[in-house]
Amino acid sequence: MTLSPLVSLIGRRVGASLVTLLFVSLAVFGIAQLMEGDVAEAILGQSATPEALAGLRAAMHLDQPAWERYLEWATGVLTGDPGRSLITGLPVWEMIAARLGNSLTLAGLTALVSVPLALLLGIVAAVKRGTAFDRTISIATIGIVSVPEFLIATLAVMLFAVTLRWLPALSSTRDVHSTWDLVRVFAMPVFSLACFVMAQMVRMTRAAVIDALDTSYAEAARLKGCSPARVVLRHALPNAIGPIANAIALSLSTLLGGVIVVEIIFNYPGVARLMVDAVATRDLPLVQTVAVIFCIAYLLLVTTADVVAILANPRLRHR
Amino acid sequence: MTAPLARIDHLRITATGEDGCEIVIVPDATLSVAPGEVLALIGESGSGKTTIALSLLGYARPGCQIAGGTIEVAGQRLDTASAEELRSIRGRTVAYVAQSAAAAFNPSLTIMAQVIEPALIHGTLDRAAAETKAKDLFRRLALPDPEGVGDRYPHQVSGGQLQRLMAAMALITDPKLVIFDEPTTALDVTTQIEVLKAFKDAVRDLGTTAVYVTHDLSVVAQIADRIAVLKGGEVQELGTTEQILFAPTHDYSRALVAAAAPRTPAVAPAVEEKPLLDLWGVVAGYGGTNHDGSPRVKILDGIDVSIRRGQVLGVIGESGCGKSTLARVVAGLHAPTAGRILLDGTPLPPVVRRRSRDELRRVQMVFQSADTALNPAVSVGAAIARPLAFYHGMDRASARAEVARLLDLVRLPAALADRLPGELSGGQKQRVNLARALAARPDLLLCDEVTSALDPVVAEAVLDLLIELRRELGLAYMFITHDLEIVRAISDDVLVLYAGRVAERVTRDGLRHGAHHPYTRLLTASVPELRPGWLEETPARDAAAAGGARMRDMGCSFLPRCPKAVDACAAEMPPMLIEDDRRIFCHRSVDTLAGR
Ligand SMILES: Nc1ncnc2c1ncn2[C@@H]1O[C@H](COP(=O)(O)OP(=O)(O)OP(=O)(O)O)[C@@H](O)[C@H]1O
Ligand code: SF4
Ligand SMILES: [Mg+2]
């Protein structure tokens, strides 16, 4: 048995992601160029004279051809120096680094809460298919999927911060002094995000496990005298790993979009907020770099899921 | 008579339909199995064979429930047993061998882990003892590499071997009763005979009691002591194998036996000498092409075929030998990488979209699965009217009359035109497919396993219809099947394919005597005969070589299985031997191959 076909298969997946990343960076750069107005206008305001605008653009190298600026920026990103912010003059990387930790904590906590819970709910719903429990889960998840995340966040604020006054309406990591504070600060953003992310994950996990439970080999296992738990854990789940990994990756990638909305609503100092602010001021190096970071996160998730699915497939593992 | 080991009394099984109302699957079934005997359940699909067999495990498929009657195995009541009790019976007292072992093995676990699982769950053996016993069973079931096969994963083993491995899994706990659910239906004849032999020996040596579900009477004749004939979930007739085979009393049993008996070949109408279809050196495959234009995975290699007007050519060979690919090439659905296709002497473009309307009209194809070939949302009448409008530009009124005529031609009532495919039976659907193909008024009909998805009695009727149509319309058929009996019944000439190359072409009557390719011999010797004792008389073969036939780049592909091989076979392509009514591709002389 040789591993090389497997390695080359995985290599190809990773290679494909890198190519995708290249195209995405081009697209991000292109779209950023299309935005109305530029940073010079944003800084100098509407009353600026054309001469002043031209001077500032030259100073910021905005008069160079687009492809030159793209190359400069792309090599910068690759070498770990995506340039300086056009507004603050600070290195872009420094501005992002300060916020990235916050966003990762938010996303990480959400994933930590939602993934195990969603898998559990999905698997139990699949095993108890057709029961009241399963139907409740189905209805609840459909309900949540069809509500936009900003609405969930807003409702959470109204309920817990305004009406009940249990939690602060705005989240700032500066107020964290104890574990309790941490829970209070993160409760609502994590709750809103987790609701949304989980609903999808539960549904997809349930579908994947039901598929595996409906197979002939699951029936054969039952007819061997396997207990229901054994049928699920030993026979169905190993074959559902690929689809479940996919479900997790897809759901977590919607988390990226969710983070933007939630950070804005809770005024949470993360990268997503940074990007929204940067869009307002046309601070292109910052916008582009944050966008690329989001894309990298997305591709990382999807590629990991692909690789897990490949590794979980016995036909590919054992030729 | 000793007390029965298993007994089913007035069993009633129902299902809940989509609209919530109850559907009776088994209205009232009664039968019993004596210790040490093999009882066969036989009947067409939908007759409740599997449902009744599964009830002996106290199991009903999802959506079905055991609604009445009693089930008793080895003194235990199954119909009233708790889930806990059932679990301790399944895999221990009663074991199950599924129809498709390929689907019933878990793809992510090793074979050994699955084979010994029943022994471990029921605690009859510890792991080491179970593995030793498993290997012993592998040996008994004539599996190649009994020591190592357990470490493999299901996809690394052939279908016939998986079927035997599944039997090993069932036998590992020494169950009192084993249920075999159509265990050889999915196999090629040459593989089926080995599996049957292995099953029969194991069942006899271990004194196992078995219930054997199948629709194939010749298989039953080899393995069963008694037969229960089922129809509509009821036992029509129950008797010893001899009695059912040679003196069936019930009408339905008689029809079954008649359908299984060798057919008297149809009288061949005069065939014109002019070839209708000619294939010259056709090469086809999948997975793209190499630099030299040859396919990456070669499926067909150097195929020469010709069919004359009004002639029926039977194409036979084991699964995966390229039969369907050949039909798809002729139909223009799959472009060959080399070779020529001539229709009436003029070259046919290789792909459908470059063929003219008239060329399309003259070659029609009927597929194996009647279900998927029909659009479920289009009524029967509309489906048949479409080619009428396309090929013959018929308007609605004349199309309607023609649809009625075509339905009549395939022996269906004209009223069926308004129905949707979902409201038809399998045999009716296949007739509709046929009518649709005939609507084009083709010269050549490509039939790919048109009867294999049908029950024997229904298949028989469709076959009769094809024979009549040929007589009435003077059609030529390329008739693809893996069933030698059907080939014998319908074709004028037989083309035997092995691993993508022609092994032999012979007339139907020539098939019965004279020199043959060693593979043709193997094939003819593997078709079970409708009499007990045939299996025992058939010599054992090297089980290891069967299955997984591969096309060899050099020499004869049949070499690994050939009892007559000589040195030249490995190095050189077999030459064509010409004897009056046959062409054989083999290195040995006609005399040797004739056994003279
Ligand atoms: N689309 C495809 N891509 C790759 N390989 C294919 C494809 N279709 C068929 N094959 C392979 O080509 C070979 C011949 O297939 P084909 O369907 O012609 O066999 P067959 O003789 O009709 O078998 P059966 O009796 O099972 O219908 C098989 O090994 C099959 O796995
Ligand atoms: S060519 Fe050789 S291997 Fe092939 S069938 Fe003839 S004798 Fe057997
Ligand atoms: Mg086929």
Side-chain angles (χ1 to χ4, degrees), chain B residues 319-320 322-325 368 448-449 480:
Chain B
S319 175
K323 305 185 293 292
S324 299
T325 309
Q368 168 166 6
D448 187 1
E449 306 266 12
I480 293 173

Side-chain angles (χ1 to χ4, degrees), chain B residues 39-52:
Chain B
L39 173 75
L41 301 184
I42 185 157
E44 58 190 86
S45 82
S47 62
K49 303 184 296 281
T50 301
T51 312
I52 292 177

Side-chain angles (χ1 to χ4, degrees), chain B residues 230-371:
Chain B
L230 299 178
K231 188 177 187 214
E234 291 187 61
V235 180
Q236 305 293 324
E237 185 169 0
L238 199 144
T240 63
T241 303
E242 264 82 10
Q243 185 250 304
I244 302 275
L245 289 184
F246 301 120
T249 57
H250 198 279
D251 284 348
Y252 185 68
S253 320
R254 281 206 205 109
L256 264 185
V257 173
R263 301 167 55 98
T264 35
V267 188
V271 222
E272 287 178 37
E273 277 311 308
K274 216 172 82 187
L276 173 67
L277 178 83
D278 265 314
L279 259 58
W280 289 350
V282 164
V283 178
Y286 297 98
T289 49
N290 296 320
H291 298 301
D292 59 352
S294 65
R296 287 248 167 77
V297 184
K298 213 190 257 182
I299 300 296
L300 293 176
D301 188 26
I303 303 282
D304 297 331
V305 177
S306 87
I307 301 181
R308 282 169 291 159
R309 237 168 226 292
Q311 190 185 31
V312 178
L313 177 73
V315 178
I316 192 159
E318 61 191 22
S319 175
C321 72
K323 305 185 293 292
S324 299
T325 309
L326 180 60
R328 291 169 54 83
V329 165
V330 175
L333 299 174
H334 186 90
T337 56
R340 307 231 291 161
I341 310 169
L342 306 177
L343 190 65
D344 258 344
T346 43
L348 265 186
V351 283
V352 155
R353 62 181 183 300
R354 288 211 252 112
R355 292 190 182 174
S356 70
R357 192 168 288 205
D358 194 53
E359 285 165 340
L360 289 177
R361 175 189 66 77
R362 296 178 59 189
V363 180
Q364 291 289 316
M365 184 152 172
V366 185
F367 294 92
Q368 168 166 6
S369 68
D371 293 324

Side-chain angles (χ1 to χ4, degrees), chain A residues 214-228 230 234-236 238-239 312 314-319, chain B residues 54 57 59 61-62 87 90-91 94 96 103-109 113-114 117-118 121-122 153 155-156 166 169:
Chain A
D214 277 349
T215 54
S216 305
Y217 56 78
E219 178 172 80
R222 272 178 223 122
L223 293 179
K224 272 191 229 179
C226 289
S227 64
R230 194 179 167 92
R234 185 160 168 83
H235 289 276
N239 292 293
R315 282 165 207 277
L316 297 177
R317 224 173 341 124
H318 312 273
R319 290 205 170 228
Chain B
L54 284 175
L57 289 137
Y59 183 82
R61 288 246 155 92
R87 227 178 292 144
R90 292 177 185 159
V94 191
Y96 180 68
F105 268 100
N106 190 328
S108 11
L109 297 174
Q114 301 187 59
E117 193 177 14
I121 317 178
H122 296 290
Y153 283 81
H155 68 270
Q156 297 168 320
M166 182 124 204
M169 175 158 84

Side-chain angles (χ1 to χ4, degrees), chain A residues 298-310:
Chain A
Y298 177 80
L299 285 174
L300 213 60
L301 282 170
V302 175
T303 312
T304 314
D306 273 356
V307 171
V308 168
I310 291 173

